[in-house]
């Protein structure tokens, strides 16, 4: 198993034993078929036990896996005739955001994604998937173009957050994110968002105002990264695992809270085990949701998007318990009144 995570260590050890037994049998000419079959059965039971009980903290590490498929990996597998477009027409071309025209099941769409690097050099060039203002503005330029020509928009979210450096702030990072939120809410074409890895903070939300928000099974989505939350709550970023467990960041949690519409299943062990399998599941979901919104007017799409985000979160007002009735105190008997009564009696 390549790129295994710590919780997968028992599986790695058992697989190693199976391979050693197979090799020994071949070298010595001994038939270990029955023994190997029993070990394989134990392996699959252990695999089911481990992968069915992945915790939020483990999902966080899985979502950040270096070998997890990136936006460009999925674009190449899901779409055909992809033509990448560059630049925001204001400052430059941010490689942390990729996008362009493509065909999905024969239908022309605009696809935009946040792109992590494949190695150290690539990550530096792409700022580890954390966009500058020109990246968000490039995405918005492509969305406005899609809106003009009536093309559905599909975005892939995969970022720890917007780039936090001085250069980004100097070029208007907060304005660029806020502008995307406003403009995406106004789009009159279908918008489908897929969180494929880590969806962190405003950097994720700037490409995530959609009619449908989907998440891969082991992706995470949060208002702040677990590391950032741990730094604020406990002054210790190393407690990110503890924060992840408390923050409700998994696809299951967010589906229950109606933040997302669907969980897209991943291949056993995670999307990095089978790119084609993960891409096929995403493609099926995209085609299905686009078909559901086929024929909707621009006003219907805007209203649907508005209602989706308006219903997120709830506030419960409990009527205060009425206070217990207070009995009126007895009126004190005045001395002069008693004397008057005595005088009248005489």
């Amino acid at each position: 198993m390549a790129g295994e995570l710590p919780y997968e260590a028992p599986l790695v050890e058992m697989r190693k034993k199976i391979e050693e037994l197979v090799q020994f049998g071949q070298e010595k000419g001994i038939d270990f078929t029955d023994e190997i079959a029993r070990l394989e059965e134990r392996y699959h039971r252990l695999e089911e036990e481990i992968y069915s009980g992945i915790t939020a903290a483990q999902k966080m590490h899985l979502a950040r896996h270096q070998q997890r498929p990136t936006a460009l990996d999925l674009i190449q597998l899901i779409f055909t005739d992809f033509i990448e477009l560059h630049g925001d027409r204001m400052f430059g071309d941010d490689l942390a955001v990729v996008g362009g025209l493509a065909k999905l099941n024969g239908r022309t769409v605009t696809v935009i994604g946040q792109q992590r690097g494949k190695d150290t050099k690539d990550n530096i060039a792409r700022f580890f998937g954390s966009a500058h203002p020109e990246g968000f503005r490039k995405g918005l330029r492509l969305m406005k173009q899609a809106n003009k020509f009536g093309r559905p928009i599909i975005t892939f979210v995969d970022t720890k957050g917007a780039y936090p450096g001085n250069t980004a702030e100097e070029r208007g990072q907060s304005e660029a994110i806020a502008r995307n939120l406003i403009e995406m809410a106004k789009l009159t074409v279908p918008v489908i968002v897929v969180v494929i890895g880590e969806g962190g903070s405003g950097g994720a939300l700037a490409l995530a105002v959609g009619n449908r928000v989907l998440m891969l099974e082991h992706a995470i989505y949060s208002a702040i990264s677990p590391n950032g939350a741990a730094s604020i709550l406990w002054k210790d970023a190393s407690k990110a695992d503890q924060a992840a467990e408390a923050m409700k960041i998994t696809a299951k949690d967010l589906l229950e809270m109606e933040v997302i519409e669907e969980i897209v299943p991943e291949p056993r062990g995670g999307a990095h085990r089978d790119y084609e399998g993960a891409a096929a599941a995403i493609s099926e979901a995209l085609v299905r949701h686009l078909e559901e919104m086929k024929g909707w007017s621009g006003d219907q799409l805007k209203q649907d998007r508005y209602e989706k985000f308006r219903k997120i979160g709830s506030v419960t007002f409990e009527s205060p318990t009425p206070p217990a009735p207070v009995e009126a105190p007895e009126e004190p008997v005045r001395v002069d009144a008693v004397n008057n009564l005595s005088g009248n009696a005489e």
Side-chain angles (χ1 to χ4, degrees):
M1 294 173 66
E4 64 273 0
L5 293 166
Y7 64 86
E8 295 176 304
L11 290 174
V12 175
E13 186 64 28
M14 186 170 288
R15 175 54 60 189
K16 182 179 177 182
K17 289 179 180 179
I18 293 172
E19 291 173 354
E20 288 175 350
L21 185 60
V22 170
Q23 184 177 0
F24 183 78
Q26 291 174 346
E27 290 175 354
K28 301 298 182 180
I30 303 174
D31 185 8
F32 289 116
T33 303
D34 293 339
E35 289 81 358
I36 292 171
R38 283 195 294 271
L39 285 174
E40 287 286 0
E41 185 179 350
R42 285 176 56 192
Y43 178 88
H44 290 303
R45 285 202 305 269
L46 180 61
E47 188 179 46
E48 177 64 27
E49 180 183 338
I50 289 176
Y51 290 135
S52 63
I54 299 178
T55 66
Q58 290 168 341
K59 283 181 181 286
M60 177 184 71
H61 295 292
L62 194 51
R64 295 173 174 176
H65 200 291
Q66 182 60 32
Q67 296 176 13
R68 196 169 175 83
T70 65
L72 281 176
D73 291 328
L74 295 172
I75 288 172
Q76 296 297 337
L77 290 169
I78 295 171
F79 304 92
T80 58
D81 302 329
F82 175 62
I83 302 174
E84 186 174 357
L85 302 177
H86 298 271
D88 67 341
R89 302 296 185 267
M90 295 178 69
F91 181 84
D93 187 29
D94 187 351
L95 298 181
V97 175
V98 297
L101 308 180
K103 286 187 176 180
L104 174 64
N105 203 28
R107 184 176 183 180
T108 303
V109 299
T110 290
V111 57
I112 303 164
Q114 290 161 324
Q115 177 68 22
R116 295 178 292 107
K118 285 290 192 179
D119 52 38
T120 302
K121 183 178 179 181
D122 196 20
N123 264 320
I124 291 172
R126 298 185 185 277
F127 299 98
F128 294 83
S130 294
H132 281 69
E134 53 269 27
F136 297 122
R137 289 171 182 145
K138 172 167 70 172
L140 181 58
R141 179 177 76 83
L142 297 181
M143 285 187 270
K144 286 186 172 181
Q145 181 192 79
N147 199 58
K148 179 179 180 180
F149 292 101
R151 293 192 296 264
I153 298 168
I154 295 162
T155 69
F156 291 125
V157 172
D158 188 14
T159 182
K160 291 182 179 180
Y163 187 74
N166 290 341
T167 53
E169 296 300 328
E170 289 168 356
R171 297 201 284 272
Q173 185 73 291
S174 58
E175 188 278 338
I177 294 173
R179 179 67 57 187
N180 275 33
L181 302 184
I182 294 171
E183 297 299 334
M184 287 189 77
K186 298 177 183 177
L187 294 171
T188 56
V189 295
V191 181
I192 301 179
V193 179
V194 187
V195 183
I196 61 174
E198 181 173 11
S201 193
L205 194 57
L207 294 181
V209 183
N211 296 91
R212 301 289 182 271
V213 178
L214 320 179
M215 282 181 71
L216 282 181
E217 181 181 359
H218 301 310
I220 61 173
Y221 193 23
S222 58
I224 185 174
S225 72
N227 306 72
S231 297
I232 294 171
L233 294 175
W234 299 294
K235 310 299 182 187
D236 186 358
S238 67
K239 293 185 177 180
D241 286 3
Q242 184 178 343
E245 296 292 344
M247 290 172 61
K248 304 294 184 184
I249 60 176
T250 68
K252 183 179 180 225
D253 292 327
L254 295 167
L255 183 64
E256 291 175 357
M257 294 188 287
E258 298 186 5
V259 174
I260 66 172
E261 277 68 47
E262 182 178 339
I263 299 173
V264 180
E266 295 189 29
R268 179 62 60 85
H272 62 288
R273 301 284 182 212
D274 181 3
Y275 281 25
E276 289 77 11
I282 295 172
S283 178
E284 186 278 329
L286 291 175
V287 171
R288 176 163 37 82
H289 283 287
L290 280 178
E291 189 63 26
E292 288 175 4
M293 292 183 280
K294 188 176 181 180
W296 288 15
S297 68
D299 287 339
Q300 285 177 307
L301 289 165
K302 286 194 294 183
Q303 185 63 26
D304 174 76
R305 207 174 300 129
Y306 170 81
E307 290 175 357
K308 170 194 164 40
F309 285 91
R310 190 70 178 85
K311 73 180 180 181
I312 293 177
S314 61
V315 179
T316 302
F317 295 97
E318 294 185 0
S319 301
T321 303
V326 179
E327 295 183 2
E330 293 184 4
E331 187 175 344
V333 179
R334 300 204 315 265
V335 176
D336 57 343
V338 174
N339 291 337
N340 290 337
L341 288 172
S342 299
N344 293 336
E346 294 176 354

